[in-house]
Amino acid sequence: MRTRAAVLRELNTPWSVEEIELDPPKAGEVLVKLAASGLCHSDEHVLTGDLAGACPSPPMVGGHEGAGVVVECGAGVDWLQPGDHVVFGFIPACGRCMSCVSGHSNVCDNATTFATGMQISDGTSRHHTLDGLDLGVMCLLGTFSEHTVVNESSCVKIEKDWPMDKACLLGCGVVTGWGSAVYAADVQPGDYVAVVGV
């Protein structure tokens, strides 16, 4: 199918909103129609090359905070169905590997292809420019698109009455802020804190 996405063709150039070709989901993958995507400073770091090695090289589809509606499920996806609302986790978590079951989903086995931006299942791309270039996707998601194909382990099912423009922020901004406060700043119950730069 064809859809539109914000593509970074080269470092330090503007995002190019263009039509792209999107392959259908393969086994373990879902096609999602995005309803909302957050904009994070990490997206600027991708543009400037400050995240080189941690993200795919251009050309790529940006975005790693998103919420949307499942349109199609690939083979073997049995817990999601078309019409389900999902938020994307910017780090996949399968819930079954040793890291996940021991409480360390932040290092899920499915995150090994994270920096390539290619699909977890087979290391190939589902996103392509109309002139035939494979596109990587930021954080295995590519939420700067009207539609995207992601691995099911990047999806968290949410209730249909949650507003997606707010739910999308759960994918990065909320969890990163919480983790920064609790782990980096060691904020404890009863502490007084100042939040700067919201």
Side-chain angles (χ1 to χ4, degrees), residues 69-132:
V69 179
V70 174
V71 175
E72 182 181 347
C73 296
V77 179
D78 58 5
W79 64 280
L80 289 170
Q81 60 187 2
D84 284 345
H85 290 201
V86 295
V87 169
F88 296 134
F90 76 95
I91 298 175
C94 71
R96 295 179 296 277
C97 70
M98 184 56 72
S99 296
C100 283
V101 299
S102 64
H104 301 283
S105 61
N106 60 310
V107 289
C108 173
D109 290 354
N110 279 349
T112 57
T113 62
F114 191 80
T116 69
M118 297 295 155
Q119 292 294 324
I120 292 169
S121 59
D122 63 6
T124 64
S125 178
R126 303 290 172 270
H127 304 70
H128 316 279
T129 64
L130 295 185
D131 53 355

